Each structure stands twice: as structure tokens, then as C-alpha cells.
């Protein structure tokens, strides 16, 4: 499946480049989501983020930072983000952004390889610039996700909520490499059972209340 996922990331990168032809340069495109955590099946869509540089018009006319979603024919999505958005996400210690610096499923434009390499080489340092802020951001994300779970009782959401709880504990209380706590969740087999709806809803709600 890994080769299939990489092929789809490459296709998404081409789609992002075609969409931005002659205006914005695409720096890199990477996979984010369940495939990175070992929680995806063959039926899961491959969703990606593409970081692009602002155009001259974007800068000259002070346009809002680009944030746009492109839909592929297979139902997957490319989330296009302005390169400048990276810095705000680093300050916030946003896990959703930091994931993009760790995933092995990435396509980098050859013109920006050196710049990407600088970010990639510093990824562990960037992920722990402010552990307190990162922990609070993750906890806030968990609270919002739990509220959504109480409304729809989606087992996939429950599995990701439990994964985030595991990440938060390891991030805040240990010096474990960020890459490991992000992509090697504890109790992966149990998380898969939760994702597949094999664990009763009431049991999951009790876990969420602890």
C-alpha cells in the first residue's frame, strides 16, 4: 500500500502545480492522516497538503494567505496552504502542521529541495520549541474532537481521539522522539478495533470521561 500512497501523493503534487501554473510555486506536497499512523485501510482516501509560495499579486495587494481545497476525481483532497502559514503553525506547535515535516510520503519540488531539507533536518527541534503550548494545543483539539464524538459516535473519530491522548502524554512527559510518538501509537491493535466499531460505544464514552 505504501507505493500506492506515494503514487497518489505524486498525483496530488501534479494537480497542485497545474492549478498554480504561472502564479504560485509549489514547494512540497505531503500526505497527512491515517496512513501515517497505521490506522488506514486500503479503502481510505489519501489526503494531502501542498505548501505554495505567494504570488507577486498576493504580496503587493496584501491578499489573505491562501487556503484552498482541491478535490480529486477519486474523492481525495489536496489542501493548499500559503508557505507563510508555516510560521504561525510552528509558533502554535500545531500537530497538524508538524506532521507534514515527518511523513515519509512527500514530494518536493527540486527548486526548493534545499529549503525543505532545512525544515526537515530541524523537525525534532521545531516540534519541541514550546512543549507547554504544544500540549495545550493538542488538548484543545482533543476536547473539540470528543464533543463531536458525543454527537455522532463515529468510531474512527474515537480511535483518533485515543491516539491523540497517547501522543499528548508521551509529548508532555517524555523526551521520546516526536516522530515515534506521532507515527507509532501505543496499543495500535486496540485502536484498530475501536476504528472498526468493535468496542462498545458506552465503553468508549467511559474512557473519554476518565
Amino acid at each position: 500500500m505504501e507505493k500506492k500512497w506515494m503514487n497518489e501523493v505524486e498525483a496530488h503534487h501534479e494537480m497542485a502545480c497545474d492549478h498554480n501554473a504561472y502564479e504560485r510555486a509549489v514547494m512540497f506536497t505531503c500526505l497527512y492522516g491515517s496512513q501515517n499512523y497505521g490506522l488506514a485501510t486500503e479503502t481510505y482516501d489519501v489526503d494531502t497538503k501542498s505548501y505554495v509560495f505567494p504570488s507577486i499579486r498576493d504580496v503587493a495587494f496584501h491578499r489573505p494567505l491562501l487556503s484552498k481545497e482541491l478535490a480529486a476525481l477519486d474523492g481525495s483532497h489536496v489542501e493548499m496552504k500559503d508557505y507563510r502559514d508555516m510560521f504561525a503553525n510552528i509558533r502554535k506547535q500545531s500537530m497538524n502542521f508538524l506532521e507534514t515535516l515527518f511523513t515519509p510520503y512527500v514530494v518536493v519540488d527540486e527548486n526548493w529541495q534545499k529549503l525543505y531539507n532545512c525544515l526537515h533536518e530541524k523537525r525534532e527541534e521545531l516540534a519541541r520549541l514550546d512543549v507547554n503550548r504544544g500540549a495545550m494545543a493538542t488538548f484543545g483539539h482533543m476536547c473539540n474532537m470528543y464533543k463531536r464524538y458525543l454527537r455522532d459516535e463515529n468510531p474512527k473519530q474515537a480511535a483518533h481521539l485515543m491516539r491523540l491522548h497517547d501522543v499528548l502524554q508521551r509529548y508532555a512527559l517524555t523526551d521520546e522522539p516526536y516522530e515515534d510518538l506521532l507515527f507509532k501509537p501505543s496499543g495500535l491493535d486496540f485502536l484498530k478495533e475501536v476504528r472498526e466499531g468493535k468496542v462498545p460505544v458506552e465503553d468508549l464514552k467511559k474512557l473519554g470521561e476518565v
Side-chain angles (χ1 to χ4, degrees), residues 47 51 60 84 86 105 112 143 151 168 170 188 198:
D47 293 322
Y51 279 90
R84 294 169 292 178
M86 288 184 179
Y105 305 105
W112 310 108
C143 290
R151 291 195 299 268
L168 177 59
R170 294 158 67 188
L188 182 58
K198 296 180 179 179

Side-chain angles (χ1 to χ4, degrees), residues 1-209:
M1 282 194 292
E2 287 82 0
K3 184 176 181 180
K4 174 179 177 291
W5 295 338
M6 191 64 208
N7 289 340
E8 294 194 38
V9 174
E10 291 172 353
H12 281 199
H13 185 73
E14 291 180 9
M15 183 166 64
C17 290
D18 289 344
H19 180 79
N20 282 276
Y22 310 115
E23 186 171 9
R24 302 181 182 94
V26 180
M27 180 184 178
F28 70 94
T29 302
C30 62
L31 183 152
Y32 75 95
S34 298
Q35 289 86 356
N36 285 327
Y37 324 130
L39 285 174
T41 66
E42 292 185 13
T43 62
Y44 275 44
D45 290 333
V46 169
D47 293 322
T48 61
K49 291 181 186 288
S50 283
Y51 279 90
V52 305
F53 289 97
S55 68
I56 293 176
R57 291 185 179 87
D58 290 336
V59 176
F61 296 104
H62 303 286
R63 291 174 174 173
L65 300 189
L66 177 70
S67 182
K68 184 175 183 178
E69 190 170 84
L70 305 179
L73 294 177
D74 62 359
S76 60
H77 296 84
V78 185
E79 185 179 349
M80 305 190 68
K81 304 292 288 186
D82 192 300
Y83 168 76
R84 294 169 292 178
D85 190 54
M86 288 184 179
F87 304 105
N89 280 307
I90 290 173
R91 289 193 296 272
K92 290 188 294 186
Q93 295 286 268
S94 168
M95 186 181 300
N96 286 338
F97 165 71
L98 292 171
E99 177 183 339
T100 67
L101 297 181
F102 286 86
T103 178
Y105 305 105
V106 59
V107 177
V108 184
D109 185 281
E110 60 182 7
N111 294 310
W112 310 108
Q113 187 70 57
K114 288 184 178 180
L115 180 55
Y116 174 82
N117 288 348
C118 289
L119 289 169
H120 191 257
E121 288 168 4
K122 295 290 186 179
R123 62 193 185 280
E124 285 286 348
E125 182 178 341
L126 292 174
R128 291 186 179 274
L129 283 178
D130 190 332
V131 173
N132 288 335
R133 179 172 287 186
M136 291 303 297
T138 302
F139 180 70
H141 184 41
M142 288 173 58
C143 290
N144 291 331
M145 184 175 289
Y146 183 59
K147 290 176 183 177
R148 292 197 299 271
Y149 174 71
L150 292 178
R151 291 195 299 268
D152 58 28
E153 298 181 351
N154 186 329
K156 293 180 183 179
Q157 202 164 60
H160 283 299
L161 178 60
M162 295 174 69
R163 179 187 66 81
L164 284 175
H165 181 259
D166 172 60
V167 170
L168 177 59
Q169 287 189 312
R170 294 158 67 188
Y171 176 68
L173 302 176
T174 76
D175 294 325
E176 187 175 357
Y178 194 84
E179 184 170 12
D180 288 347
L181 63 88
L182 190 63
F183 294 152
K184 297 179 181 178
S186 303
L188 182 58
D189 290 339
F190 180 67
L191 291 179
K192 289 180 178 179
E193 290 185 357
V194 172
R195 176 200 63 189
E196 294 166 5
K198 296 180 179 179
V199 179
V201 171
E202 291 306 316
D203 290 353
L204 293 177
K205 288 183 177 179
K206 289 177 182 178
L207 286 174
E209 293 168 357

